[in-house]
């Protein structure tokens, strides 16, 4: 049995904790990540205690000096974790006492691990949001700049995984980039809600020692102060919002990955992944597998699980802090690690991807211009619904004759509508087809160029926010 003598809560207990319970209760294996932000929060709190008269100037100097030494030990990998350290807060306070003596016991005055841990988590997540934002913006920039270089490449666009209309390859890349910009905006909104100070809320009722929370806010660079101490120590909305942002980002990444996996098959042959982002088969020497994209796709499920799991934990809790909330950190840490890896790999995939323009062009077929055929009639005054039907009849006639749509004679066309003339031959040009779509958001070169310009400006604004 483990002794309770050195535990922060040990005074009321006798005997020891069951060793299995000790293991279940401990979070030290993963919340060591919070070491630096825990020290930073303690330094700020110590200054607030001195400001309110709880600590003398000498006490403060000793505590700050001791915390700086602990920070150095963590950064050098020299900090020794004891078996009795059930979490990062316990470990740092235990080590502080070893370094400066009983004055270390004053640091926790008026502070609960309830407001301490959520402060640490918010500080850590705030920093992580900035790192993730840099990765995400670099990924979006890679998509946009690749689109800018390859605006003249035309290939089939698909709906229902069936050939639909000709589009520019750059238009496809930008369709994904636009979705990721929404993710970037969401991340900024999540960071803003993370950046609220809970420190000074105590366990539940608040702080009775005249702690200057505005001073703490400025010291720790938070935007605002939590309004209610009961809510502050227990709410994990910011965790769920972050996990939902991550889930939606992974949906978008998974969709892009699936598109590229399909395009990389020999059946399509539109793209080839770099060897740096591919693997082979242990049995079949010829195989080159898009494992980078498959792993991106699979990690989406992992992140979804973390999000739904956290919501399930929260939905059954009564008010204020409960130990169930210890599960928040593993979910957050895992998702941060996953996003960081996935975004960097996705950037590498896009920047090194080889496209096969000739295969893309070969995949274009005249039936994809059936809409253009209908628009030809519309421009000659026919209502669109009638034009749609006429174009459909032309498709059926070509299929009946066993020929492609553009091989129908003018006489064949006239049998469907007298509005068809010899100028119908102009319809069968893929470059002309994409150039029709000049409205904002379309696939014409001018529209795609405008999208690139807008996205570059959006990226500049997003970068400034972080």
């Amino acid at each position: 049995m483990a002794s309770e003598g050195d535990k922060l809560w040990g005074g009321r207990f006798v005997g020891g904790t069951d060793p299995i319970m000790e293991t279940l209760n401990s979070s030290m294996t993963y919340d060591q990540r919070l070491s630096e932000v825990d020290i930073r929060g303690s330094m700020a709190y110590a200054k607030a205690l001195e400001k309110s008269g709880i600590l003398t100037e000498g006490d403060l100097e000793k505590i700050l000096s001791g915390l700086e030494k602990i920070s150095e030990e963590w950064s050098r990998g020299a900090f020794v974790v004891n078996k009795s350290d059930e979490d990062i807060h316990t470990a740092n306070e235990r080590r502080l006492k070893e370094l400066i003596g009983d004055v270390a016991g004053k640091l926790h005055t008026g502070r609960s691990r309830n407001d301490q841990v959520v402060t640490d988590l918010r500080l850590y997540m705030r920093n992580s949001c900035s790192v993730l934002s840099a990765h995400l913006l670099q990924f979006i920039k890679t998509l946009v700049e690749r689109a800018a270089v390859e605006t003249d490449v035309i290939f089939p666009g698909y709906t229902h995984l069936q050939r639909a209309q000709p589009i520019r390859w750059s238009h496809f890349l930008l369709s994904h980039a636009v979705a990721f910009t929404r993710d970037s905006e969401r991340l900024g909104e999540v960071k803003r809600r993370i950046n609220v100070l809970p420190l000074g809320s105590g366990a539940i009722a608040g702080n009775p020692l005249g702690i200057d929370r505005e001073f703490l806010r400025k010291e720790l660079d938070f935007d605002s102060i939590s309004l209610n101490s009961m809510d502050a120590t227990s709410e994990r909305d910011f965790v769920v919002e972050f996990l939902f942002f991550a889930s939606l980002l992974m949906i978008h990444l998974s969709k892009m990955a699936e598109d590229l996996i399909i395009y990389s098959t020999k059946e399509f042959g539109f793209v080839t992944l770099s060897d740096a982002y591919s693997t082979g088969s242990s049995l079949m020497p010829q195989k080159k597998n898009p494992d980078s994209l498959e792993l991106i796709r699979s990690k989406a499920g992992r992140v979804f699980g973390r999000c739904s799991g956290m919501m399930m934990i929260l939905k059954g809790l009564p008010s204020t802090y409960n130990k169930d909330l210890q599960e928040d950190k593993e979910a957050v840490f895992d998702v941060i690690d996953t996003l960081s890896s996935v975004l960097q790999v996705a950037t590498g995939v896009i920047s090194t991807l080889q496209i096969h323009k000739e295969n893309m062009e070969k995949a274009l077929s005249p039936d994809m211009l059936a809409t253009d055929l209908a628009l030809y009639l519309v421009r000659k005054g026919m209502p669109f619904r009638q034009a749609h039907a006429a174009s459909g009849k032309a498709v059926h006639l070509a299929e009946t004759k066993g020929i492609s749509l553009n091989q129908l004679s003018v006489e064949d066309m006239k049998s469907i509508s007298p509005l068809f003339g010899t100028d119908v031959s102009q319809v069968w040009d893929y470059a002309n087809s994409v150039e029709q779509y000049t409205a904002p958001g379309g696939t014409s070169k001018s529209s795609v160029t405008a999208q690139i310009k807008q996205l570059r400006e959006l990226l500049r604004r997003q970068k400034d926010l972080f």
Side-chain angles (χ1 to χ4, degrees):
M1 291 289 197
S3 170
E4 312 298 7
D6 295 327
K7 295 190 181 298
L8 299 182
W9 43 266
R12 177 250 181 271
F13 288 81
V14 295
T17 307
D18 178 87
I20 303 300
M21 173 59 190
E22 190 89 11
T23 301
L24 181 66
N25 187 52
S26 174
S27 60
M28 195 62 202
T29 56
Y30 51 86
D31 67 11
Q32 292 183 39
R33 290 191 187 215
L34 300 176
S35 58
E36 287 304 317
V37 291
D38 187 67
I39 290 168
R40 184 183 176 192
S42 289
M43 285 180 164
Y45 193 70
K47 293 175 185 178
L49 286 175
E50 191 267 343
K51 192 171 183 288
S52 66
I54 302 300
L55 295 180
T56 66
E57 187 175 334
D59 291 338
L60 178 62
E61 288 179 2
K62 288 180 180 179
I63 288 173
L64 293 180
S65 176
L67 289 172
E68 286 173 0
K69 289 179 181 177
I70 295 170
S71 177
E72 290 173 8
E73 289 179 357
W74 278 113
S75 64
R76 289 188 288 109
F79 188 98
V80 178
V81 176
N82 287 353
K83 191 174 181 180
S84 61
D85 296 334
E86 65 180 67
D87 54 38
I88 188 62
H89 326 297
T90 307
N92 282 342
E93 187 169 332
R94 183 263 307 161
R95 181 59 178 147
L96 185 63
K97 185 177 180 181
E98 293 172 356
L99 290 172
I100 67 173
D102 287 342
V103 69
K106 294 184 178 183
L107 177 59
H108 208 59
T109 306
R111 183 173 67 167
S112 167
R113 283 187 296 177
N114 296 1
D115 63 341
Q116 184 178 3
V117 67
V118 73
T119 301
D120 289 358
L121 186 58
R122 285 178 180 270
L123 286 169
Y124 183 87
M125 290 179 68
R126 185 180 71 188
N127 296 341
S128 297
C129 283
S130 296
V131 174
L132 290 175
S133 175
H135 290 323
L136 178 53
L137 292 176
Q138 181 59 44
F139 172 54
I140 299 169
K141 181 181 178 182
T142 302
L143 284 166
V144 172
E145 295 311 316
R146 175 141 204 172
V149 171
E150 297 171 335
T151 53
D152 291 331
V153 179
I154 299 172
F155 84 129
Y158 295 82
T159 63
H160 307 273
L161 273 181
Q162 306 294 316
R163 292 178 184 177
Q165 291 179 296
I167 60 170
R168 294 183 184 276
W169 163 250
S170 53
H171 196 214
F172 164 79
L173 292 175
L174 295 174
S175 72
H176 289 292
V178 169
F180 294 124
T181 60
R182 293 195 298 272
D183 294 317
S184 178
E185 290 169 352
R186 265 186 290 273
L187 180 58
E189 292 163 3
V190 170
K191 184 182 178 184
R192 179 173 57 82
R193 281 190 282 278
I194 286 171
N195 207 25
V196 177
L197 174 76
L199 190 59
S201 297
I204 179 171
N207 188 292
L209 302 172
I211 289 293
D212 187 342
R213 296 190 70 204
E214 179 60 23
F215 170 82
L216 286 172
R217 183 194 70 77
K218 291 178 181 177
E219 193 73 13
L220 294 173
D221 198 26
F222 281 95
D223 290 337
S224 59
I225 297 170
S226 58
L227 294 178
N228 181 283
S229 61
M230 291 177 67
D231 177 68
T233 56
S234 62
E235 75 97 347
R236 294 297 187 271
D237 293 5
F238 67 98
V239 171
V240 174
E241 285 188 298
F242 173 76
L243 296 177
F244 176 74
F245 143 76
S247 296
L248 203 47
L249 170 58
M250 288 306 301
I251 286 175
H252 297 148
L253 283 163
S254 182
K255 181 198 291 185
M256 184 200 74
E258 175 65 8
D259 283 343
L260 294 177
I261 288 169
I262 292 171
Y263 293 165
S264 71
T265 62
K266 289 193 181 298
E267 285 73 15
F268 280 74
F270 294 168
V271 302
T272 298
L273 269 68
S274 164
D275 285 358
Y277 297 99
S278 306
T279 67
S281 166
S282 61
L283 177 65
M284 298 168 284
Q286 84 282 6
K287 291 296 293 298
K288 181 175 179 178
N289 299 324
D291 282 16
S292 54
L293 296 172
E294 292 171 3
L295 287 168
I296 289 171
R297 189 174 59 187
S298 70
K299 294 296 183 184
R302 182 188 185 106
V303 172
F304 300 166
R306 288 298 193 181
C307 183
S308 60
M310 193 65 214
M311 288 191 289
M312 288 301 292
I313 289 168
L314 294 175
K315 69 93 182 171
L317 296 186
S319 293
T320 71
Y321 187 85
N322 295 269
K323 195 59 176 272
D324 313 54
L325 294 176
Q326 183 166 289
E327 295 296 313
D328 60 0
K329 292 184 286 298
E330 281 189 287
V332 167
F333 296 159
D334 181 47
V335 168
I336 287 171
D337 288 348
T338 299
L339 292 186
S340 180
S341 297
V342 161
L343 286 169
Q344 292 178 81
V345 168
T347 301
V349 168
I350 294 299
S351 63
T352 60
L353 193 71
Q354 179 185 0
I355 67 168
H356 302 295
K357 184 178 178 181
E358 65 284 359
N359 290 344
M360 292 178 168
E361 291 174 351
K362 286 178 184 176
L364 295 167
S365 55
D367 59 298
M368 299 177 67
L369 299 173
T371 303
D372 300 67
L373 191 62
L375 293 175
Y376 167 90
L377 294 173
V378 167
R379 292 187 178 104
K380 294 205 169 189
M382 183 180 288
F384 176 74
R385 283 301 166 205
Q386 293 179 26
H388 184 285
S391 179
K393 290 177 181 178
V395 171
H396 178 70
L397 180 59
E399 289 176 348
T400 301
K401 287 175 170 282
I403 59 177
S404 61
L405 189 58
N406 64 332
Q407 292 177 322
L408 289 174
S409 66
V410 175
E411 289 71 25
D412 289 333
M413 292 290 193
K414 284 185 174 294
S415 71
I416 297 170
S417 170
L419 292 179
F420 283 117
T422 56
D423 59 344
V424 73
S425 61
Q426 297 172 14
V427 169
W428 315 119
D429 186 306
Y430 302 113
N432 288 344
S433 175
V434 295
E435 279 305 291
Q436 297 176 97
Y437 299 97
T438 56
T443 197
S444 71
K445 191 166 186 175
S446 62
S447 180
V448 166
T449 301
Q451 292 170 49
I452 291 168
K453 182 180 178 181
Q454 289 175 306
L455 285 166
R456 283 171 172 164
E457 178 58 33
L458 191 150
L459 286 171
R460 280 193 288 271
R461 292 199 305 269
Q462 286 292 307
K463 189 175 182 180
D464 291 343
L465 289 176
F466 281 87

